[in-house]
Amino acid sequence: MQGAAADGRVRSLAVSMSTDDGVSWTRLPVGAGAVTVRKPAAGTGVFLRAELTDVDGNTLDQSVIDAYRPR
């Protein structure tokens, strides 16, 4: 994790990915501040979404559309 999430004040963090333009989402395992993404088929656009809540109850819901496309 980076930025404000790196200070250890995170209550919950969920990261998901979509390979069908955001129609459906698959939850990714989060460990040691990182996620593991299985490589989809070549040319498939990958969308990423993070949902975070800190210990004060502040929330963040952020999506990255077409984060990458594997070759």
Side-chain angles (χ1 to χ4, degrees):
M1 287 185 251
Q2 297 179 341
D7 70 2
R9 296 180 41 82
V10 174
R11 180 185 309 155
S12 66
L13 172 63
V15 179
S16 303
M17 71 178 277
S18 174
T19 56
D20 59 5
D21 295 328
V23 173
S24 62
W25 293 87
T26 301
R27 178 91 31 116
L28 300 172
V30 178
V35 296
T36 300
V37 178
R38 288 188 153 192
K39 183 179 176 182
T44 302
V46 176
F47 291 25
L48 297 172
R49 178 173 64 198
E51 299 165 273
L52 181 136
T53 302
D54 71 11
V55 296
D56 296 322
N58 299 306
T59 61
L60 169 73
D61 190 354
Q62 184 170 3
S63 296
V64 179
I65 306 304
D66 269 338
Y68 70 95
R69 289 183 180 265
R71 295 182 182 181

